[in-house]
Amino acid sequence: MTEEAKAAQPQTDARQTDEPPKDRSQTHYPQTSPGVSVVGPGGGETIVLGPTRMRVLEDGSHTGHRLAIAESVLAPHTQGPPQHRHARHDEGFYILSGTVRFAVGNEEYDASAGTLVMVPPGTPHTFANPSDEPAVMLSTFTPDLYVQYFRDLQEVLADGRPLTPRANADAMSRYATEPATPGLT
């Protein structure tokens, strides 16, 4: 780089942090482009929870923890988690193949391929695959808060401990989530 080009480069303060200043009008921070994350077929982190196989495509580390995305394969006749509600994140489910049954409060919905189900904070919900075929869905977590919950459950199973309702409720509680049905713990 020539001396002229170096002189034309914006000068930055060596004390900069990733945290934006409280009053942006007083200080200019250069904008940096986020790194692009590409996860190919078979890539990502695999989490196995009994008959459900989850592939974490984005755990929030590339989105400033605003969004996480996972692909889940539900084996035939798989029950999902106990009905629960999240206090601090939205959860979305896009069905890629098969049919997933969602229970939202007292209502049930059979969601087939091409269906999107969005669950806002505070809404009791669960899902299952009651069919004879596997079902595949793409899940979003906004923000990424809930990905670690699945890692925690996998750790319980890997340690040879049973995934009891109490263990599940304990894991949920660490991520602003609680069982929707009293007495599940």
Side-chain angles (χ1 to χ4, degrees):
M1 183 180 285
T2 67
E3 289 303 314
E4 291 88 10
K6 287 181 186 176
Q9 293 292 313
Q11 299 299 310
T12 58
D13 184 342
R15 294 172 293 152
Q16 283 185 28
T17 67
D18 288 336
E19 187 174 321
K22 300 238 186 286
D23 181 3
R24 288 182 163 268
S25 66
Q26 301 300 315
T27 308
H28 173 72
Y29 280 74
Q31 297 295 314
T32 58
S33 298
V36 173
S37 172
V38 177
V39 179
E45 173 188 1
T46 300
I47 297 174
V48 178
L49 301 172
T52 299
R53 183 179 180 273
M54 174 181 277
R55 187 166 65 113
V56 179
L57 303 169
E58 172 56 52
D59 67 358
S61 61
H62 296 95
T63 65
H65 302 285
R66 294 178 307 274
L67 170 70
I69 302 171
E71 175 190 73
S72 295
V73 178
L74 308 174
H77 306 286
T78 296
Q79 292 301 309
Q83 197 169 89
H84 57 281
R85 59 176 61 89
H86 307 291
R88 296 186 1 218
H89 71 273
D90 295 279
E91 193 168 22
F93 304 90
Y94 182 73
I95 310 309
L96 297 170
S97 65
T99 299
V100 178
R101 178 164 295 152
F102 288 88
V104 181
N106 294 323
E107 301 288 326
E108 286 191 349
Y109 305 90
D110 282 344
S112 58
T115 302
L116 174 67
V117 177
M118 287 301 303
V119 180
T123 303
H125 66 284
T126 190
F127 56 86
N129 177 6
S131 77
D132 294 330
E133 301 296 324
V136 182
M137 63 184 181
L138 195 64
S139 300
T140 61
F141 312 97
T142 311
D144 70 338
L145 182 65
Y146 215 50
V147 171
Q148 189 59 44
Y149 161 77
F150 299 109
R151 292 172 175 150
D152 290 357
L153 292 185
Q154 179 175 255
E155 187 176 306
V156 167
L157 294 171
D159 289 346
R161 296 177 283 158
L163 191 52
T164 63
R166 172 87 259 158
N168 200 332
D170 287 346
M172 285 180 175
S173 71
R174 292 190 291 273
Y175 306 101
T177 300
E178 65 182 14
T181 305
L184 257 180
T185 59

